[in-house]
Amino acid sequence: MSPLAVEVEQVSKRFRVDGHIVHALDGVSLHAAEGEFVSLVGPSGCGKSTLLNLICGLMEPDSGTIRLQGDTLPRLGRVGLMPQQDLLMPWRRVMDNLLLGPEIQRRDRQEAEQEAQALLPLFGLEGFAQSYPSQLSGGMRQRAALLRTMLAHPTVLALDEPFGALDALTRRGMRDWLLQVWERFGQTVLFVTHDVDEAIYLSDRVLVISSRPGTVALEVNVPLPRPRIQTQLDTLEAAHIRHRLLTALGL
Amino acid sequence: MSPLAVEVEQVSKRFRVDGHIVHALDGVSLHAAEGEFVSLVGPSGCGKSTLLNLICGLMEPDSGTIRLQGDTLPRLGRVGLMPQQDLLMPWRRVMDNLLLGPEIQRRDRQEAEQEAQALLPLFGLEGFAQSYPSQLSGGMRQRAALLRTMLAHPTVLALDEPFGALDALTRRGMRDWLLQVWERFGQTVLFVTHDVDEAIYLSDRVLVISSRPGTVALEVNVPLPRPRIQTQLDTLEAAHIRHRLLTALGL
Amino acid sequence: MRPRFYRAFRQALPAVALIVGLLALWELLARLLDIQEWLLPAPSAVWSAGIDSLQLLWPHVVRTLVETLLGFAVALMAGLGLGIAIDLSPLLRRAIYPLLVASQTVPTIAIAPLLVIWFGYGLLPKIIVVGLVCFFPVVVNTADGLRSASSDLLALLRTMGATRGDLFFKVRLPSALPMIFTGIKVAITYSVVGAIMGEWVGASRGLGIFMLRATNSFRTDWVFVSIFVSAVLSLGLFGLVNVVERLLQPWRFGRQEHWEELSK
Amino acid sequence: MRPRFYRAFRQALPAVALIVGLLALWELLARLLDIQEWLLPAPSAVWSAGIDSLQLLWPHVVRTLVETLLGFAVALMAGLGLGIAIDLSPLLRRAIYPLLVASQTVPTIAIAPLLVIWFGYGLLPKIIVVGLVCFFPVVVNTADGLRSASSDLLALLRTMGATRGDLFFKVRLPSALPMIFTGIKVAITYSVVGAIMGEWVGASRGLGIFMLRATNSFRTDWVFVSIFVSAVLSLGLFGLVNVVERLLQPWRFGRQEHWEELSK
Amino acid sequence: KRPQELEPVVLTLDWVPNTNHTGFYVALEKGWYAEQGLAVEIQVPADPSAALKQVAAGNTPFGVSFQDEVTVARASGIPVVSIAAIVQHNTSAIASLASAGIESAADFEGKTYASFGLPIERPLLQGLMQCEGADIDQLEFVDVGYDTFPALVAGRADLIWIYQGWDGVQAELMGVELNTVPLYGDCVPDYYTPVIIAGESTLAERSELVSRFLAATERGYSYAIEHPVEAADILIKHSPESDAQLVRASQAWLSDHYQADAPRWGVQNPTVWRTFVDWMVANGLLSEPIDADAAFSNAYLAE
Ligand SMILES: Nc1ncnc2c1ncn2[C@@H]1O[C@H](COP(=O)(O)OP(=O)(O)OP(=O)(O)O)[C@@H](O)[C@H]1O
Ligand SMILES: Nc1ncnc2c1ncn2[C@@H]1O[C@H](COP(=O)(O)OP(=O)(O)OP(=O)(O)O)[C@@H](O)[C@H]1O
Ligand SMILES: [Mg+2]
Ligand SMILES: [Mg+2]
């Protein structure tokens, strides 16, 4: 058996905020198998972004261990993160922002640019390749940030509310595109969202994080067959899962 | 009859993006009566934020007119805007960020601070009054930005996806709080959202903006009785409205 | 108190080590190469000359320090004022910027006679020279810093009905603070030399005078003593500015969180 | 071409107007108050002296310009290099920063004999003096600018497996550019005076020498001619830096959109 | 000789070119250095004490300095020797505006003196004043650096040190009437200012070079003595930034003073050196006497 792509074991994380201690995560354990799509839902401020940051290697846990592909080697550069704040570089045009990953990986620029160019229409960024980020709408910025993450071709993806600023239609398009890509390339995906339906539609497994200090409150498998279609969300099975998730979330 | 709080008449707006012209809004007309709650939904990049910016007086339309309370006087300072990007000041602690409005209005700081203090728990910001924005989670930042807007006590509110980064539970709480405040103080609200249910739940009227160049594609009244409760969304009437809106949005 | 002191000590260690190392090297070279003392005295010679001339030096140092501080205060006010004025008015920027640049190209000694004629030998001409030498970095950094404020944030405040003053004090100034302090750090570094140059215009007391007299009597050791003293003064003032910078910008220099620490 | 020229003209108008106004005032005062010419010549006198001495002046100007440019190039490289080094290594920051500050407190004339003995009367000592005078603002602005990069952005790049070099060239440097240019603007303003001071160490040609000789012959009009020339040189160089700044940062100085225009 | 065979020699002046230096430029212009096999290069520093340091450091073989400076330097162990007096007597004077009515050193009391900041100034003025029974403590000193003239004219100082052959002439040209109290007289000892100096090692190891240099230089000054007008033109040619009118007038004044009552140009009188050393010791300018005879030499001047 191949090792798990991501293993988080009993991880705790505290922050010091102006004197008092904020207990962000408390003994969180989770894992994602190679090629698995795992979603994280949970109240705002429960530590989801912190968890992704820890997994990416941007922080070290105060206690507990994190393994990628079975090892505890440095994690930076092994997980593709799409941060919650889009963090586009104001001094780079959209296209140059998109090509950040390929650039860092010293990949052929022309090839990467062709790939990006081909995806621009799907991301609703056609005609904006040469504009600066300040000239984009909120949703366009978010889509640019997602495209930037994807163009780095990571094998493990950590996406922090990638569709938060998108309308339902655009969102659906992006979802389906993400699933297509995922099915083709088999990345491992950690997906933070506030939309329970979205989590069900996309994931193999959904984790509910409890409010601060964050712990795993519930873990639900989503055994809906793939490829997924929108109407599967209207099945009884989906309704059941939705109910369990909403209950765990206190709704 | 008292004049309309907001009147937008045949407004067009174009941007110049690296040589070519982006036609953001094309002949948009809309209005909001005194104390009315109007939501705007539409695809990402269709010009919703641009419309709010125009109404606030941050930009002038290329053609068309905008009236507030029946006049065409300068609009700056007359509409409380919550921008899509939270724009918290990194050099101010959370509390000082919240008190920006009262400060600019030269109101008594102590009073305003008491008001803010009392609202912190509801906004999930208890214990974070003295931290810096960089120490907040994405959703906490958004809530702080909303609270900042509300503390300025504007009579016309322009809220640009105020709940975008919030989980369903927090979101519901915020919605209900917003409705309460609105019912008590009777502000005129322009509300941008991607969530059709949210628009129905909150609004007197919902406008669908078509994709770029933005025009008003559909206008739907929401005759559900107030005060609203969650279950009203399950009524046939709501379903009907939802259907019309989703169809207009292409879903 | 203990750990704090220890930390300060550790902070200063590399600089002290480097300086001591360089002095040792210099001493060694001076002895090995047998460099004439009047040309380049060994540190040990400078040190003993310093000890000997302490009493002699003291009034000069006080005088120069006074000139430095007063002149710097003037430079700071002029620099901030002009920087702000330039930022507020594009017209003023275009009108006055070239003059400010030009003002920096006038060597002090070229206008020394005028200074003496108009202002005599008192404190005033020295203050003017220090001011002229120091204000420019403050102006440029202030003007550029104020311009760097986020236009989105400014827009937000304007929707709240902010006055120009609000925009300035609540957004532009805080955004500009880091750059302003950079300018102040450059300026304060020049201030002591400015005072010394001011003294050369004409004075009877001050480090510059001491230096001049020492040069004329081939007391190179004393020249180096005064260079050393002026370096110490400059370092002290520079350090002071650094402390103020940290105090005024807690959001930049607060206790580092894990995140920030790592992301360095 | 036409409107562009017209725009440039309109841009320059306020400065030209102000300068012409000041010159007129000065001319008036000089005539009314009957100020002796050797003390403060009227602009008209300076002008005709300038015309007369053009031929004489020319080789001096060329020489000073060469020194200025070479010295500034050195200062730029040293400044950027040191600023970067300081930013990269906290140890280096603590070790070397005090020395840099101290280096600015040594008056040129105090080390002039050493410079001549070690480097002779050629170009080298002037380049060194210009370098010493100019590198400091570049160092401080570079170091502070590099530190101002967004830590979130740096973190993002690190998750992509960015090397230190990537972080530097893709985030730190672009973020620091505005401040670096501010430093360069201050430095280039000092460079011409630096060259003049360098010439005073010992030279046979250059604006500084011209100025010295003119002073000694009580030809104050010539002194002012050389001040005027050095001001023009400085302004030209300053303007050049501004142009480069704009070219290198299109995202800051691009054609203004409506939004940005208003939010000013 | 062809130019490339000439021996390169550097001469560092004390200050920008002026009529004190005319002889050098004449010798250069007339090719007399070249005749001696020398390619002389003249350097101009901004600091009057720079030349002595350069010579002492062996960086340049010849320089222009002053007797007082040489004496202090030798007392500090700096091995330089004065090898020729450019001007025979001290041409300095204490000047005041004629309108101030200061006729003699007795009137210095209660006045302000704009000083270069040299240690020698105070005892010299003291000597002048004592002669007239005045008290030096009644005279205020202000260090002004080298640009004292404007201070006087603007009334910021009452007394300044001038070189009659330069500042004095200039004042005359400008129509500023000055009262002067010359330093050369009975109240204070005379001394040579300026002088040509060389390092002891140069004298020991390259004495023949020194003689050749001085031979050409002496020719230059002799020419300047005899042909002030032509000599002035040569200086102007080499220092076109100097005011021509001033140079000509100064040259006319100074040409008579180069040699004055001396048997030949450049010769230094041992008594002048000895008296001056004693005077310096007596006034605390030297802590110990130095060997005055070693501080100068006439040996390199042609017989
Ligand atoms: N300052 C600007 N300069 C150039 N183009 C702009 C600017 N602001 C907005 N636009 C363009 O106007 C269009 C509408 O932008 P707007 O921000 O209003 O969209 P939106 O409806 O708010 O979208 P979203 O839901 O993604 O936030 C976009 O195509 C955007 O690129
Ligand atoms: N750098 C930091 N310094 C101090 N506290 C922090 C820092 N980062 C996060 N926190 C705190 O940790 C807690 C969890 O934050 P986190 O950003 O992980 O929440 P989240 O689950 O992503 O919330 P949201 O859905 O609102 O984005 C919050 O209370 C936040 O204040
Ligand atoms: Mg988050
Ligand atoms: Mg928007």
Side-chain angles (χ1 to χ4, degrees):
Chain A
M1 207 190 92
S2 69
L4 291 169
V6 180
E7 260 176 301
V8 175
E9 250 172 49
Q10 287 297 328
V11 158
S12 295
K13 182 74 191 173
R14 283 184 294 270
F15 292 103
R16 191 188 187 84
V17 174
D18 204 59
H20 69 100
I21 301 286
V22 174
H23 213 130
L25 293 173
D26 190 22
V28 169
S29 298
L30 63 83
H31 65 272
E34 197 78 51
E36 201 179 8
F37 199 121
V38 179
S39 285
L40 304 172
V41 296
S44 169
C46 71
K48 302 180 295 294
S49 300
T50 305
L51 192 55
L52 294 194
N53 285 334
L54 284 164
I55 291 171
C56 290
L58 283 174
M59 307 173 173
E60 288 304 320
D62 294 335
S63 65
T65 46
I66 300 174
R67 271 190 286 275
L68 294 181
Q69 279 96 25
D71 64 58
T72 55
L73 300 177
R75 303 183 295 284
L76 279 171
R78 297 167 69 185
V79 179
L81 174 72
M82 171 177 169
Q84 198 167 2
Q85 244 72 34
D86 56 61
L87 300 182
L88 297 175
M89 299 178 174
W91 56 84
R92 287 189 172 212
R93 296 169 188 276
V94 170
M95 179 54 82
D96 296 321
N97 264 294
L98 295 180
L99 296 183
L100 187 61
E103 222 174 76
I104 287 174
Q105 295 161 359
R106 314 280 183 273
R107 269 157 50 199
D108 183 55
R109 171 162 174 123
Q110 214 157 3
E111 220 168 83
E113 189 163 342
Q114 272 171 14
E115 188 185 350
Q117 200 73 50
L119 285 168
L120 283 181
L122 181 66
F123 277 72
L125 294 171
E126 211 174 8
F128 288 91
Q130 296 308 312
S131 21
Y132 287 103
S134 64
Q135 300 174 320
L136 300 185
S137 81
M140 289 159 84
R141 293 179 66 110
Q142 201 172 36
R143 280 174 276 157
L146 177 61
L147 186 48
R148 174 184 59 188
T149 309
M150 301 305 291
L151 286 173
H153 299 325
T155 54
V156 182
L157 271 164
L159 306 178
D160 202 347
E161 301 190 34
F163 305 144
L166 302 185
D167 63 289
L169 189 66
T170 314
R171 201 162 180 144
R172 279 203 195 162
M174 289 285 107
R175 271 182 206 163
D176 289 333
W177 175 79
L178 180 62
L179 280 185
Q180 266 172 37
V181 172
W182 174 70
E183 270 152 25
R184 188 152 93 216
F185 296 104
Q187 300 105 324
T188 309
V189 182
L190 295 173
F191 191 92
V192 172
T193 180
H194 287 312
D195 187 328
V196 169
D197 278 352
E198 185 166 274
I200 298 172
Y201 182 66
L202 294 171
S203 318
D204 296 322
R205 205 146 39 86
V206 181
L207 302 183
V208 178
I209 314 285
S210 72
S211 67
R212 206 171 47 237
T215 50
V216 178
L218 179 73
E219 191 173 337
V220 187
N221 279 312
V222 184
L224 301 177
R226 295 191 185 263
R228 301 260 165 91
I229 49 170
Q230 195 65 26
T231 48
Q232 279 173 317
L233 284 176
D234 304 330
T235 60
L236 204 68
E237 201 166 6
H240 184 63
I241 296 170
R242 181 181 303 118
H243 179 74
R244 285 184 64 195
L245 291 175
L246 290 178
T247 314
L249 286 167
L251 286 159
Chain B
M1 208 189 90
S2 69
L4 292 168
V6 180
E7 262 177 300
V8 174
E9 250 173 50
Q10 288 297 328
V11 158
S12 295
K13 183 74 191 172
R14 281 185 297 270
F15 292 103
R16 193 191 185 82
V17 175
D18 203 59
H20 68 100
I21 301 285
V22 173
H23 212 130
L25 295 172
D26 190 21
V28 170
S29 299
L30 62 83
H31 66 272
E34 197 78 53
E36 199 179 10
F37 200 120
V38 178
S39 286
L40 304 172
V41 295
S44 168
C46 71
K48 302 180 296 293
S49 300
T50 305
L51 192 55
L52 295 194
N53 285 334
L54 284 164
I55 291 171
C56 290
L58 282 173
M59 306 173 173
E60 287 305 320
D62 293 336
S63 65
T65 45
I66 300 173
R67 271 189 287 275
L68 294 181
Q69 279 96 24
D71 65 58
T72 54
L73 300 175
R75 303 183 295 286
L76 279 172
R78 298 167 68 186
V79 179
L81 174 71
M82 170 176 170
Q84 197 167 6
Q85 245 72 35
D86 54 62
L87 299 182
L88 298 175
M89 298 178 174
W91 56 84
R92 288 189 173 214
R93 294 169 189 277
V94 169
M95 178 54 82
D96 296 321
N97 263 295
L98 296 179
L99 297 182
L100 187 61
E103 223 173 77
I104 287 173
Q105 295 160 0
R106 314 280 183 271
R107 269 157 50 198
D108 183 55
R109 171 160 175 125
Q110 216 157 4
E111 220 168 85
E113 190 164 342
Q114 272 170 14
E115 188 186 349
Q117 200 74 50
L119 284 168
L120 283 182
L122 181 65
F123 277 72
L125 294 170
E126 210 174 10
F128 288 91
Q130 295 308 312
S131 21
Y132 286 102
S134 64
Q135 300 173 320
L136 299 186
S137 82
M140 289 158 84
R141 293 179 67 110
Q142 200 171 36
R143 281 173 276 157
L146 177 61
L147 185 48
R148 174 184 60 188
T149 308
M150 301 305 291
L151 286 172
H153 300 325
T155 55
V156 181
L157 271 164
L159 306 179
D160 201 346
E161 301 191 33
F163 305 144
L166 301 184
D167 61 289
L169 189 66
T170 315
R171 199 162 181 146
R172 279 201 195 163
M174 288 287 104
R175 272 181 205 163
D176 289 334
W177 174 80
L178 180 62
L179 279 186
Q180 266 173 38
V181 172
W182 173 70
E183 271 153 23
R184 189 150 93 220
F185 296 103
Q187 300 105 324
T188 309
V189 183
L190 294 173
F191 190 94
V192 172
T193 179
H194 286 311
D195 187 327
V196 170
D197 278 352
E198 185 166 272
I200 298 172
Y201 181 66
L202 294 172
S203 319
D204 296 323
R205 204 148 39 87
V206 182
L207 302 183
V208 178
I209 313 283
S210 72
S211 65
R212 204 172 47 237
T215 52
V216 178
L218 180 72
E219 190 172 338
V220 186
N221 280 310
V222 185
L224 301 176
R226 295 189 184 266
R228 303 260 165 93
I229 49 169
Q230 195 64 29
T231 49
Q232 280 174 317
L233 284 176
D234 304 330
T235 60
L236 207 66
E237 202 167 6
H240 184 64
I241 296 171
R242 183 181 301 118
H243 180 74
R244 285 184 64 197
L245 290 175
L246 290 177
T247 312
L249 286 167
L251 286 158
Chain C
M1 246 14 241
R2 213 60 183 305
R4 193 166 192 175
F5 176 80
Y6 176 71
R7 241 185 89 207
F9 174 76
R10 265 197 41 189
Q11 293 269 342
L13 201 63
V16 172
L18 183 63
I19 290 172
V20 168
L22 285 178
L23 288 180
L25 189 74
W26 173 4
E27 180 83 38
L28 206 75
L29 284 180
R31 294 194 178 204
L32 282 185
L33 303 184
D34 204 19
I35 297 177
Q36 290 109 314
E37 182 155 320
W38 57 267
L39 191 61
L40 184 63
S44 56
V46 174
W47 178 255
S48 58
I51 297 291
D52 290 351
S53 60
L54 215 58
Q55 202 115 36
L56 203 61
L57 204 58
W58 189 239
H60 294 291
V61 174
V62 171
R63 174 67 175 221
T64 299
L65 191 59
V66 169
E67 293 162 2
T68 302
L69 291 178
L70 289 176
F72 178 72
V74 169
L76 193 60
M77 284 184 303
L80 289 176
L82 282 167
I84 291 167
I86 280 178
D87 179 67
L88 289 180
S89 151
L91 182 73
L92 212 61
R93 168 189 295 272
R94 288 209 294 274
I96 226 180
Y97 223 127
L99 273 182
L100 297 183
V101 172
S103 78
Q104 294 304 297
T105 65
V106 181
T108 320
I109 75 130
I111 51 162
L114 290 176
L115 285 177
V116 168
I117 288 166
W118 290 335
F119 308 113
Y121 297 102
L123 265 178
L124 196 56
K126 286 90 185 176
I127 293 174
I128 291 174
V129 171
V130 177
L132 264 176
V133 169
C134 296
F135 86 99
F136 190 68
V138 181
V139 174
V140 178
N141 276 275
T142 302
D144 283 5
L146 288 173
R147 202 155 52 157
S148 74
S150 147
S151 55
D152 288 342
L153 202 48
L154 289 170
L156 175 71
L157 262 83
R158 280 156 42 87
T159 68
M160 292 182 164
T163 61
R164 280 176 85 95
D166 286 328
L167 294 183
F168 182 77
F169 285 107
K170 298 189 202 304
V171 182
R172 300 177 107 72
L173 194 61
S175 314
L177 265 193
M179 277 188 83
I180 293 179
F181 267 102
T182 303
I184 293 179
K185 280 188 276 183
V186 173
I188 197 103
T189 305
Y190 292 148
S191 61
V192 179
V193 175
I196 287 175
M197 280 165 42
E199 283 159 8
W200 290 343
V201 168
S204 36
R205 215 196 292 160
L207 267 182
I209 298 305
F210 185 86
M211 212 181 268
L212 219 57
R213 291 185 187 165
T215 307
N216 280 326
S217 347
F218 303 97
R219 288 297 306 257
T220 315
D221 49 352
W222 282 3
V223 174
F224 275 83
V225 168
S226 39
I227 291 180
F228 180 75
V229 171
S230 73
V232 169
L233 286 184
S234 295
L235 277 174
L237 293 172
F238 188 88
L240 219 66
V241 171
N242 259 307
V243 170
V244 174
E245 178 179 23
R246 270 151 205 279
L247 288 180
L248 280 186
Q249 307 180 323
W251 68 94
R252 290 183 69 215
F253 297 99
R255 205 173 284 213
Q256 302 276 310
E257 304 299 323
H258 213 129
W259 173 272
E260 288 158 18
E261 223 164 60
L262 259 171
S263 62
K264 175 76 189 177
Chain D
M1 247 15 242
R2 216 47 185 313
R4 193 166 193 175
F5 177 79
Y6 177 72
R7 241 185 89 206
F9 175 76
R10 267 197 39 191
Q11 292 269 342
L13 201 62
V16 172
L18 183 62
I19 289 172
V20 168
L22 285 178
L23 289 180
L25 188 74
W26 171 5
E27 181 84 37
L28 206 75
L29 285 180
R31 295 195 178 204
L32 283 185
L33 302 183
D34 205 19
I35 297 177
Q36 289 110 316
E37 181 154 322
W38 60 269
L39 192 59
L40 184 63
S44 56
V46 174
W47 178 255
S48 58
I51 297 291
D52 289 351
S53 60
L54 215 59
Q55 201 118 34
L56 204 58
L57 204 57
W58 188 238
H60 294 290
V61 174
V62 171
R63 175 64 175 225
T64 299
L65 190 60
V66 168
E67 292 162 2
T68 302
L69 291 178
L70 289 177
F72 178 72
V74 169
L76 192 61
M77 285 186 300
L80 289 175
L82 281 167
I84 291 168
I86 280 178
D87 178 67
L88 288 181
S89 152
L91 181 74
L92 212 61
R93 169 188 294 271
R94 289 208 294 274
I96 226 179
Y97 222 126
L99 273 182
L100 298 182
V101 172
S103 79
Q104 294 304 297
T105 65
V106 181
T108 318
I109 74 130
I111 51 160
L114 288 176
L115 284 177
V116 171
I117 287 166
W118 290 335
F119 307 112
Y121 290 103
L123 266 179
L124 197 56
K126 286 92 187 176
I127 293 175
I128 292 173
V129 171
V130 177
L132 265 176
V133 168
C134 296
F135 87 99
F136 190 68
V138 182
V139 174
V140 178
N141 276 276
T142 302
D144 283 5
L146 289 173
R147 204 156 50 158
S148 73
S150 147
S151 56
D152 287 343
L153 202 48
L154 290 170
L156 175 70
L157 262 82
R158 282 157 39 88
T159 68
M160 293 182 164
T163 60
R164 280 176 85 93
D166 286 328
L167 294 183
F168 181 78
F169 285 108
K170 298 189 202 307
V171 181
R172 301 177 107 72
L173 194 61
S175 315
L177 266 192
M179 279 189 81
I180 292 179
F181 267 100
T182 305
I184 293 179
K185 279 188 275 184
V186 173
I188 197 102
T189 306
Y190 292 149
S191 61
V192 179
V193 176
I196 287 176
M197 280 164 44
E199 284 159 7
W200 290 342
V201 167
S204 37
R205 215 194 292 161
L207 268 181
I209 296 306
F210 184 87
M211 213 180 266
L212 219 59
R213 293 185 183 174
T215 308
N216 198 237
S217 335
F218 306 91
R219 286 298 305 257
T220 315
D221 48 351
W222 283 1
V223 173
F224 274 82
V225 168
S226 39
I227 290 180
F228 179 76
V229 170
S230 73
V232 169
L233 286 185
S234 295
L235 277 174
L237 293 173
F238 188 87
L240 219 66
V241 171
N242 259 307
V243 170
V244 174
E245 177 179 24
R246 270 150 205 278
L247 287 180
L248 281 186
Q249 306 181 323
W251 68 95
R252 290 182 69 215
F253 297 99
R255 206 172 283 213
Q256 302 276 312
E257 306 300 324
H258 213 131
W259 172 272
E260 288 159 18
E261 224 163 61
L262 259 171
S263 60
K264 175 72 185 181
Chain E
K1 279 184 184 174
R2 303 221 314 277
Q4 56 263 45
E5 291 162 7
L6 299 179
E7 194 174 343
V9 169
V10 180
L11 165 72
T12 305
L13 301 184
D14 56 322
W15 189 238
V16 296
N18 56 52
T19 42
N20 277 340
H21 310 128
T22 310
F24 300 121
Y25 286 101
V26 170
L28 192 65
E29 174 68 21
K30 298 277 183 190
W32 295 332
Y33 285 126
E35 275 177 29
Q36 297 285 350
L38 304 176
V40 170
E41 186 191 331
I42 299 178
Q43 287 297 344
V44 181
D47 171 16
S49 67
L52 189 141
K53 289 177 184 168
Q54 297 303 326
V55 170
N59 203 36
T60 63
F62 303 108
V64 175
S65 182
F66 319 93
Q67 182 180 339
D68 49 325
E69 203 176 62
V70 171
T71 312
V72 172
R74 287 191 65 88
S76 313
I78 303 174
V80 293
V81 175
S82 164
I83 52 172
I86 293 177
V87 180
Q88 268 300 323
H89 299 291
N90 189 353
T91 60
S92 306
I94 305 303
S96 56
L97 292 178
S99 53
I102 299 170
E103 305 291 342
S104 76
D107 302 328
F108 290 0
E109 283 191 348
K111 299 288 190 282
T112 303
Y113 169 69
S115 151
F116 301 135
L118 302 176
I120 194 175
E121 291 169 86
R122 179 173 279 270
L124 281 173
L125 277 149
Q126 185 174 17
L128 288 181
M129 289 177 74
Q130 251 169 4
C131 241
E132 309 282 342
D135 180 7
I136 183 80
D137 291 333
Q138 302 299 314
L139 179 64
E140 192 191 338
F141 277 66
V142 186
D143 282 16
V144 170
Y146 293 101
D147 225 357
T148 53
F149 198 73
L152 177 72
V153 177
R156 291 285 175 183
D158 305 306
L159 299 167
I160 61 168
W161 180 300
I162 63 163
Y163 296 97
Q164 286 175 292
W166 190 258
D167 317 68
V169 170
Q170 170 69 14
E172 213 165 289
L173 288 177
M174 289 192 307
V176 177
E177 279 189 57
L178 295 181
N179 282 352
T180 52
V181 178
L183 281 168
Y184 177 45
D186 301 327
C187 298
V188 290
D190 188 22
Y191 60 97
Y192 296 112
T193 172
V195 297
I196 303 173
I197 57 166
E200 275 180 5
S201 59
T202 309
L203 297 180
E205 293 154 21
R206 306 164 75 191
S207 64
E208 175 257 359
L209 167 85
V210 179
S211 299
R212 270 153 54 203
F213 176 78
L214 278 189
T217 307
E218 187 178 357
R219 260 182 96 181
Y221 277 98
S222 301
Y223 181 89
I225 291 166
E226 282 154 34
H227 309 282
V229 178
E230 291 85 345
D233 286 338
I234 290 172
L235 179 60
I236 291 164
K237 181 180 167 204
H238 282 269
S239 178
E241 301 84 358
S242 302
D243 186 54
Q245 201 190 4
L246 171 60
V247 169
R248 290 202 184 94
S250 168
Q251 195 64 58
W253 190 93
L254 198 62
S255 279
D256 293 337
H257 290 74
Y258 287 139
Q259 185 174 345
D261 50 0
R264 269 193 344 271
W265 173 86
V267 176
Q268 302 168 76
N269 183 346
T271 320
V272 172
W273 278 89
R274 288 178 202 141
T275 317
F276 194 64
V277 167
D278 292 342
W279 178 84
M280 285 183 87
V281 173
N283 284 283
L285 294 169
L286 287 181
S287 45
E288 283 167 36
I290 61 160
D291 179 4
D293 294 344
F296 76 98
S297 170
N298 290 323
Y300 304 91
L301 292 165
E303 284 306 318

